[in-house]
């Protein structure tokens, strides 16, 4: 056992470490669950983006998370892989097992410190919480050198007690001390002052890196994280697209670009390759089916769009009039047009590599076939089309149900009813055919899919947007639905928006099928008996 304080860590006062928790805090939030394969793929994307630490999961929470974190720990080189544990022996041992093959393993232990959590969640006194923190850090240090300690709900904890717990964790061997605003309650002024206080009052504060972890309940997560940096935090915990519990976590792309664009103000930088921000954001949106709002800073579709004439006029004279950063510096590509139906495999492979989606020979064959089919339908294939194609192909591999055929009638005209018929392959390869009528064509389509699969989805939101431009653009359908109290999101792309909608519906059905969370199948009746709800 090594309980002596570690050597002062090597982080330069000018650097802020980026600790990404999309795969842990993000993934545990509604609508963001990922399969082990998807988690692994995204972990590689985070490593390419240049994050310093990838928090891969919470291994004690499920065997699926154990497998996913183990695979990430095995494959990521040159990036620290962290796993989360409560200050319980079982959790910590699960972390150690998951990290066995990691090149740079970190165990992240946490315990709640606020009076509210001590009394109502843990039923522990201050002394007992302190003991638990020390025990957790010491036990984790038996397995790895790099241990992070988090004081959950730190921002609502008495300052003197928080300082005492932090000092005890450092003395027990923690190298990173994380101060989470678990419920998104703080303000920029308050958190800046708290970090200044802790750095001045915690014994041996200089032996650890102080870290900030802000939730977005009041929409202040990024502002609070930046204020914590001003107060001396040198690690920021954040997620791509700001995904996370409730209103989410601090958005990585926003905090990184704020530090980058206002470097003279903050005086610190990160190692992030900012040109990978947009591709990484898109990859996550595709994997989770949770799309990014158009006006989202940095990665939203409107982030660099100039519609008003007066703005366009200014932009033509000098782009600095209305742009504080260059779109290409965060990964938007100016030249949109890429390939057409005469393009060959080499050109496709080159372009995919340039977009950060390098594929091996076997995958290239599948993607090329899909590319050719798309190029037959579309005059021009854009970068975003390629992205949809590659990631869509990935999703297809994991698909349990596959769409074979869709036919939809709109019901326009006297006496006509919106109708839909679908043909699918189920997970066993059996062909399923069904038809239904509905309030409108999309409703009829979803009814037919529900009948064919026996899965009942309650649709909460549905929207269609175009992935690229032009009248032959691919449409992306995004759905949020509930099944047996579980909320899920799904998306699908196609040049036909009804087909895209069917893919989005099946994306959700497949997520349910993969997790085994399908409640009893719904009863199917004859198509003509379908209620027009
Ligand atoms: O929000 C929080 O307090 C957390 C901790 C487990 C770090 O996610
Ligand atoms: Zn959190």
């Amino acid at each position: 056992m090594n309980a002596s304080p570690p050597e002062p860590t090597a982080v330069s006062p000018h650097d802020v470490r980026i600790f990404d928790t999309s795969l842990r805090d993000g993934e545990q939030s509604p609508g963001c669950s990922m399969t082990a394969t998807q988690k692994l793929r995204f972990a590689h994307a985070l490593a390419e983006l240049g994050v310093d630490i990838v928090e891969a999961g919470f291994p004690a929470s499920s065997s699926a998370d154990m497998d996913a974190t183990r695979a990430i720990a095995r494959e990521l080189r040159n990036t620290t892989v962290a796993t989360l544990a409560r200050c319980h022996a079982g959790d910590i041992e699960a972390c150690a097992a998951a990290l066995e093959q990691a090149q740079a393993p970190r165990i992240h232990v946490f315990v709640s410190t606020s009076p509210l959590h001590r009394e109502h969640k843990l039923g522990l006194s201050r002394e007992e919480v302190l003991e638990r923190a020390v025990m957790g850090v010491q036990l984790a240090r038996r397995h790895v050198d790099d241990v992070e300690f988090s004081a959950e709900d730190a921002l609502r904890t008495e300052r003197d007690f928080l300082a005492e717990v932090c000092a005890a964790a450092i003395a027990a061997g923690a190298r990173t001390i994380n101060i989470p605003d678990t419920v998104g309650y703080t303000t920029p002024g308050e958190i800046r002052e708290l970090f200044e206080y802790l750095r001045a009052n915690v014994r041996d504060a200089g032996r650890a890196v102080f870290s900030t972890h802000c939730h977005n309940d009041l929409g202040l997560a990024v502002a609070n994280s930046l204020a914590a940096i001003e107060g001396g935090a040198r690690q920021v915990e954040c997620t791509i697209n700001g995904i996370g519990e409730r209103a989410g976590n601090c958005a990585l792309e926003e905090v990184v670009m704020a530090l980058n664009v206002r470097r003279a103000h903050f005086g610190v930088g990160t190692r992030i390759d900012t040109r990978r921000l947009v591709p990484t954001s898109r990859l996550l949106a595709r994997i989770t089916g949770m799309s990014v709002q158009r006006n989202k800073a940095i990665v939203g579709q409107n982030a660099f769009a100039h519609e008003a004439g007066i703005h366009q006029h200014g932009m033509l004279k000098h782009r600095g009039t209305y742009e504080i950063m260059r779109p290409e510096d965060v990964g938007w590509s100016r030249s949109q047009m890429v390939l057409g139906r005469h393009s060959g495999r080499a050109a496709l492979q080159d372009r995919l590599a340039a977009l950060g989606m390098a594929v091996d020979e076997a995958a290239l064959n599948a993607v090329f076939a899909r590319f050719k089919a798309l190029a037959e339908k579309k005059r021009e294939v854009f970068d975003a089309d390629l992205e949809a194609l590659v990631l869509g192909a990935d999703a297809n591999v994991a698909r349990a149900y596959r769409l074979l055929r869709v036919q939809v009638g709109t019901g326009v005209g006297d006496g006509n009813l919106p109708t839909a018929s679908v043909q699918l392959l189920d997970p066993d390869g059996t062909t399923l055919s069904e038809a239904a009528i509905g309030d409108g064509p999309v409703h009829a389509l979803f009814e037919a899919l529900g009948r064919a699969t026996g899965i009942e989805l309650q649709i909460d939101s549905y929207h269609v947007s175009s992935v690229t431009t032009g009248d032959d653009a691919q449409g992306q359908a995004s759905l949020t639905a509930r099944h047996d109290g579980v909320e899920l999101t799904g998306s699908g792309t196609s040049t036909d928006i009804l087909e895209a909608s069917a893919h989005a519906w099946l994306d959700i059905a497949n997520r349910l099928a993969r997790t085994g969370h399908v409640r009893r199948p719904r009863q199917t009746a004859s198509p003509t008996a379908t209620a027009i709800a």
Side-chain angles (χ1 to χ4, degrees):
M1 184 177 94
N2 180 359
S4 61
E7 288 309 301
T9 44
V11 70
S12 136
H14 307 295
D15 285 330
V16 172
R17 289 180 180 164
I18 298 296
F19 175 114
D20 181 280
T21 184
S22 307
L23 294 171
R24 199 277 298 169
D25 218 337
E27 202 262 348
Q28 76 194 31
S29 62
C32 290
S33 66
M34 301 179 214
T35 63
T37 316
Q38 290 170 332
K39 283 187 90 171
L40 184 58
R41 177 174 190 136
F42 196 65
H44 279 290
L46 290 172
E48 278 166 36
L49 179 64
V51 310
D52 299 284
I53 303 114
V54 168
E55 186 163 52
F58 187 2
S61 66
S62 68
S63 58
D65 221 34
M66 168 62 93
D67 293 344
T69 48
R70 218 193 269 272
I72 293 168
R74 190 173 50 240
E75 290 198 15
L76 285 202
R77 305 285 98 179
N78 308 318
T79 306
T80 297
V81 178
T83 51
L84 185 72
R86 290 165 296 183
C87 288
H88 293 171
D91 281 21
I92 294 167
E93 269 137 33
C95 280
L99 293 171
E100 244 162 29
Q101 297 184 55
Q103 191 182 56
R106 171 181 294 191
I107 297 182
H108 176 190
V109 295
F110 75 98
V111 65
S112 289
T113 51
S114 69
L116 209 70
H117 281 220
R118 288 196 313 260
E119 184 184 339
H120 298 288
K121 181 176 138 180
L122 301 175
L124 295 179
S125 66
R126 276 189 180 206
E127 293 66 34
E128 287 165 327
V129 164
L130 195 76
E131 270 168 32
R132 207 173 264 199
V134 169
M135 179 281 288
V137 173
Q138 287 178 340
L139 189 52
R141 278 299 303 265
R142 284 192 204 158
H143 298 285
V144 294
D145 282 342
D146 187 355
V147 172
E148 170 170 338
F149 170 75
S150 282
E152 192 183 1
D153 206 16
L155 268 292
R156 294 190 299 171
T157 301
E158 307 89 332
R159 280 191 172 190
D160 59 337
F161 180 56
L162 184 61
E164 199 183 337
V165 177
C166 293
I170 294 172
R175 288 180 170 197
T176 305
I177 297 293
N178 185 36
I179 307 295
D181 182 19
T182 303
V183 291
Y185 178 72
T186 196
T187 63
E190 186 177 76
I191 197 169
R192 180 189 309 111
E193 220 228 301
L194 178 65
F195 273 82
E196 284 163 358
Y197 167 85
L198 291 173
R199 289 181 61 243
N201 291 286
V202 169
R203 195 172 2 98
D204 284 330
R207 303 189 79 92
V209 172
F210 278 78
S211 165
T212 180
H213 175 117
C214 294
H215 280 266
N216 203 31
D217 299 64
L218 293 174
L220 291 172
V222 173
N224 287 337
S225 302
L226 291 168
I229 291 169
E230 288 175 339
R234 287 296 174 268
Q235 173 175 290
V236 185
E237 303 200 353
C238 44
T239 59
I240 297 291
N241 298 342
I243 63 168
E245 287 284 4
R246 307 180 308 281
N249 288 59
C250 167
L252 182 151
E253 60 279 4
E254 295 181 20
V255 80
V256 164
M257 287 315 292
L259 292 176
N260 192 303
V261 171
R262 301 302 307 273
R263 174 92 202 213
H265 171 82
F266 290 103
V268 287
T270 72
R271 275 179 278 273
I272 295 295
D273 175 357
T274 61
R275 288 160 310 167
R276 301 228 39 81
L277 288 170
V278 170
T280 312
S281 155
R282 293 224 189 149
L283 175 62
L284 184 67
R286 294 281 317 169
I287 288 176
T288 58
M290 188 142 126
S291 48
V292 168
Q293 80 207 45
R294 286 187 83 100
N295 63 336
K296 166 94 173 58
I298 320 294
V299 295
Q301 272 195 322
N302 286 3
F304 294 90
H306 303 275
E307 187 73 33
I310 197 163
H311 286 201
Q312 290 178 347
H313 184 69
M315 281 292 293
L316 290 174
K317 297 217 151 140
H318 190 293
R319 63 196 288 182
T321 49
Y322 289 100
E323 272 183 9
I324 57 165
M325 55 200 145
R326 299 186 321 158
E328 46 275 43
D329 289 345
V330 298
W332 288 106
S333 79
R334 278 284 189 208
S335 75
Q336 281 273 312
M337 216 221 349
V338 199
L339 304 166
R341 70 193 166 92
H342 300 298
S343 309
R345 291 163 52 92
L348 176 65
Q349 196 169 22
D350 262 18
R351 190 63 207 152
L352 290 177
L355 290 170
M357 296 187 293
V359 287
D360 60 22
E361 277 303 312
L364 182 64
N365 288 339
V367 175
F368 188 64
R370 284 167 63 89
F371 162 73
K372 279 287 182 195
L374 181 65
E376 286 302 326
K377 289 194 211 166
K378 290 190 90 226
R379 283 187 303 276
E380 298 161 338
V381 179
F382 296 91
D383 288 356
D385 289 321
L386 290 179
E387 231 167 53
L389 205 77
V390 172
L391 302 172
D394 262 15
N396 261 340
V397 172
R399 253 172 203 159
Y401 293 100
R402 279 163 177 271
L403 189 66
L404 296 179
R405 218 171 49 82
V406 185
Q407 203 174 1
V408 179
T410 61
V412 176
D414 270 357
N416 287 339
L417 287 172
T419 53
S421 63
V422 295
Q423 197 173 58
L424 316 172
L425 276 185
D426 81 357
D428 304 325
T430 312
T431 306
L432 308 170
S433 301
E434 268 295 353
I437 52 179
D439 276 349
V442 176
H443 182 224
L445 174 61
F446 292 168
E447 280 295 305
L449 290 166
R451 287 164 162 274
T453 57
I455 295 176
E456 199 156 349
L457 293 185
Q458 196 179 328
I459 308 295
D460 287 336
S461 74
Y462 163 71
H463 74 264
V464 178
S465 56
S466 90
V467 177
T468 50
T469 51
D471 54 11
D472 58 356
Q474 287 206 88
Q476 174 164 322
S478 306
L479 270 186
T480 309
R482 264 171 300 133
H483 174 85
D484 198 18
V486 180
E487 189 185 288
L488 297 117
T489 52
S491 68
T493 19
S494 166
T495 48
D496 179 308
I497 56 166
L498 287 162
E499 190 182 326
S501 306
H503 282 306
W505 195 101
L506 287 174
D507 192 19
I508 293 184
N510 285 326
R511 282 170 206 268
L512 281 168
R514 281 198 297 270
T515 56
H517 193 90
V518 182
R519 206 174 31 132
R520 68 190 150 70
R522 68 193 243 163
Q523 296 297 314
T524 56
S526 82
T528 47
T530 307
I532 308 174

